[in-house]
Structures are given as C-alpha cells and as structure tokens.
Amino acid sequence: MRNIRLKVLWVLLVNPMLCIFAMQKQEYQLVTVAFYNLENLFDTENDPITFDDDRTPEGKDRWTQEIYADKLLKMASVIAQIGPPEATTAPALVGVAEIENRKVLEDLVNQTPLKQSHYGIVHYDSPDRRGIDVGLLYDPKLFQVVSSKVYELKLYDPERENRRIYTRDQLLVSGNLAGERMHILVNHWPSRSGGEALTRPRRMAAAALNKRIIDSILSEEPYAKIISMGDLNDDPKDKSLKKILKTKARPEQVGLQEIYNPMERMAKRGQGTLAYRDSWNLFDQLLLSAAWLQRDYEHFQYYKAGIFNKRFLQTPEGPYKGYPFRSFANGKYTGGYSDHFPVYVCLLRKAD
C-alpha cells in the first residue's frame, strides 16, 4: 500500500436542478485486490487419491521439475505486477484457482518476485476429483486473518442415479484490511465441459450457495464489506449472476444489500479474460457489496476495476494472437502463463 495524489471530483447538491463541482487534491492510500486462475498449477508428485497422473514427469504432460519451476516463476512475476499503473506494490490480497495443494502455494510465494511481500496463505483441500482447489494469498502487513472456512457445493448428476459430482469449495476469509473489517469469498464454479446448457444448473447452484453465504454475512452485518471473486465460468450477463445473485452493472443501481459487478460494463464493451472459438468471455470477476460504494473515502472504498492483460501475457503470434498466452497447449508446455488474464479492483481511502 502506498500513498498517491489524485484529483477527486466533489459534488455539492444545492437543489435538485443545480450541482456545483469543485476539484480538490488529496493524498490517498491505494490497495489492490486481485484474482488469478493459475491454469493447473500442479507439483510433480503423484497424489494417489486425485487424478493428477498426467502432471508428473512420467505422465502424459511430461511435467518435470524444470517446467514446474518455470511455471512458478512466471506466475509469481505476474502476481507481483497485477494492478493499475499507479499501484507500485504487489496486491494486498490475491485469490487463486486451479492450484493442486498448499505446497504449490508455498512454493509460489517463495519465488523471488513475491518474497518481499511475505504472503500468508489460506487454503483448504477441496473434494474436486482432479484435486484442484482455490486459495487466498494475503500481505500480512496489510491484512490480518480473523477467521476462515469453506462451504461445500454439493452437486448430483440426475442422469446417473443422482451420483455425486465433486467440485471446488467456496472459501470465505474474514479479516481486517489495515484495520478495517472485510470478507473475501474465493470461487471456482463448475466448468462448461459437456456444454453450457447442460452444465448451467451447476453454476446456478454455485451462485445460490454464494448468495446464501453473502446473505448470512449481511444479516449480521448489514453494512459488511464483501468481495466475492473467482472464475465463475459464466459471463456477467448470465443467469447465475443476474437472476441468482442479482448483480447490478452500475453503482447507482445498488441497494443496501445488493451486489455491484464492475465487470459487467467491461463485458458489454467486448473485453474478456479468456477466449474460445473467436469470442471472448469474462468469466473472472470481482463482485462487491454496497458498502464499498460510498464516495467519502474516509474508509476504504471502491475506486476502479480492471483486467490485467499486458502484452507479455498475450499469445504473440499465430491464429490465437492476442489471446491469453496459456502455459500448456497441444500436449506440451509452451512457456506461457495462463489461459486466463488476472482481474483486480482498487480500493482507496484518504491518507492520514
């Protein structure tokens, strides 16, 4: 976190027909909160209880220690840079998805680009059949964990005698950001593998679980500051967001216990975090409760959101030029990064 000097627009309502605007310079503290799907960050060891056999030196992917080390360094270098130009420090909080276990997160935060942040880790093993989990990295100088827990998403296949479908848990971490209470949810909702329509009920169920968690927090803390982040495998306009979570595209539309989605207008402009068959999707999102949307900045408030899609994260040439430069394609390691771009929100408060 660092202080930055911004020009802020103040609005004084004199009467319903007249606004007087004044410009004032003010120093602010800025923090970045980010989310990144790390595209199958697996170690090289064979876990006998998960389907990770391909990601071993002898497996189909020939996942060697050298490749793993290169992948770790690349992921760390990206995380250290996520944010807008005015943010010169690594994010205070980073939600991550597609990580195999706690060990890979420990290896990640010990990479040179991240060492100086001394990131703490919140991680739980999920029941996902592939063994991939979500997690949260946090800068302990800025964020102190008070509590954490996971919520299991129980899904069943109606076409196979209600056989259980094992997927990722939803992680809730509550704590204090530079002394201010907040709640972070990290998600990785069920994929579209098998078809969007066929798998849609699974994401609707994930959204319903997410809403129950948010509502339970708001029932105890009506003005709670909540950020729900993740790879939702749905776009901002899809029913899981609009019908279940009832997200709003503009801050002025958000009621006291409603949710703002700053990514919705980005999606309408054609921006995305991953591409498939010549079209963009914006599956990676950060959703904010109404309490973030005040504009006095006496406490941390929402400032802006973005997609971190720097040129080095894009495929440099060929038919997929401009798409996320994924780390694994056509059966081999590419030396790229991830098949998703990271996303972030910036929070501001007035400096003392």
Side-chain angles (χ1 to χ4, degrees), residues 11 25 46 59 74 94 100 105 108 113 137 158 163 174 180 187 195 198 213 236 261-262 295 303 309 330 340 346:
V11 181
K25 289 184 177 180
N46 188 358
K74 283 188 163 68
V94 187
E100 184 182 13
L105 291 181
L108 177 66
L137 309 180
R163 189 173 71 176
S174 300
E180 296 183 17
N187 303 267
L198 181 65
I213 300 168
N261 188 352
R295 281 293 182 261
Y303 169 44
N309 55 2
N330 300 318
H340 291 243
C346 292

Side-chain angles (χ1 to χ4, degrees), residues 53-235:
D53 298 34
D54 290 346
R55 286 287 163 115
T56 60
E58 298 79 24
K60 184 181 68 175
D61 296 343
R62 295 288 184 256
W63 197 251
T64 64
Q65 188 62 38
E66 291 75 20
I67 289 175
Y68 175 55
D70 188 65
K71 170 80 169 176
L72 283 170
L73 184 59
K74 283 188 163 68
M75 296 293 90
S77 68
V78 177
I79 289 171
Q81 299 177 61
I82 297 173
E86 60 266 38
T88 59
T89 58
L93 294 154
V94 187
V96 292
E98 289 199 12
I99 49 102
E100 184 182 13
N101 49 40
R102 184 182 179 90
K103 177 182 179 297
V104 301
L105 291 181
E106 292 173 347
D107 291 344
L108 177 66
V109 299
N110 281 309
Q111 299 298 303
T112 299
L114 296 182
K115 269 189 175 181
Q116 63 183 5
S117 296
H118 302 288
Y119 278 117
I121 297 168
V122 182
H123 168 267
Y124 294 81
D125 285 314
S126 79
D128 181 88
R129 65 191 297 271
R130 291 179 54 222
I132 57 172
D133 309 324
V134 298
L136 183 72
L137 309 180
Y138 64 93
D139 183 339
K141 298 185 296 297
L142 297 173
F143 185 79
Q144 292 76 48
V145 175
V146 173
S147 65
S148 66
K149 64 182 297 186
V150 287
Y151 293 82
E152 192 173 7
L153 177 61
K154 293 184 177 180
L155 300 173
Y156 298 90
D157 187 343
E159 297 184 358
R160 297 185 181 183
E161 298 182 354
N162 287 322
R163 189 173 71 176
R164 177 81 182 273
I165 300 170
Y166 291 96
T167 188
R168 281 76 61 177
D169 296 330
Q170 296 184 13
L171 171 64
L172 172 64
V173 181
S174 300
N176 297 312
L177 177 64
E180 296 183 17
R181 183 168 173 78
M182 65 178 296
H183 308 271
I184 297 285
L185 277 158
V186 187
N187 303 267
H188 186 189
W189 293 359
S191 78
R192 296 187 172 197
S193 179
E196 188 277 328
L198 181 65
T199 58
R200 187 184 305 147
R202 302 173 190 177
R203 290 182 297 282
M204 298 287 276
L209 174 60
N210 206 241
K211 189 169 192 313
R212 286 197 299 273
I213 300 168
I214 292 171
D215 287 349
S216 68
I217 297 170
L218 292 173
S219 68
E220 296 183 4
E221 301 174 50
Y223 297 95
K225 289 184 172 179
I226 305 168
I227 299 177
S228 183
M229 63 170 75
D231 174 1
L232 308 184
N233 276 301
D234 266 343
D235 285 308

Side-chain angles (χ1 to χ4, degrees), residues 28 142 145 238 245 274:
Y28 290 83
L142 297 173
V145 175
D238 286 321
L245 283 166
L274 71 158

Side-chain angles (χ1 to χ4, degrees), residues 230-302:
D231 174 1
L232 308 184
N233 276 301
D234 266 343
D235 285 308
K237 64 178 174 54
D238 286 321
K239 289 183 177 180
S240 57
L241 279 300
K242 301 303 291 183
K243 300 296 184 183
I244 303 296
L245 283 166
K246 296 182 172 61
T247 54
K248 306 298 182 182
R250 296 180 178 275
E252 62 269 20
Q253 299 172 330
V254 181
L256 176 59
Q257 299 208 345
E258 294 183 320
I259 300 169
Y260 171 52
N261 188 352
M263 325 306 285
E264 185 169 344
R265 282 187 284 175
M266 295 182 201
K268 287 180 179 178
R269 294 193 296 265
Q271 296 176 267
T273 55
L274 71 158
Y276 180 67
R277 293 182 177 176
D278 296 324
S279 65
W280 284 92
N281 294 101
L282 213 168
F283 289 172
D284 304 271
Q285 300 170 53
L286 298 106
L287 315 176
L288 296 96
S289 62
W292 291 109
L293 305 179
Q294 304 302 313
R295 281 293 182 261
D296 56 19
Y297 295 108
E298 297 297 335
H299 304 281
F300 279 116
Q301 301 293 336
Y302 168 72

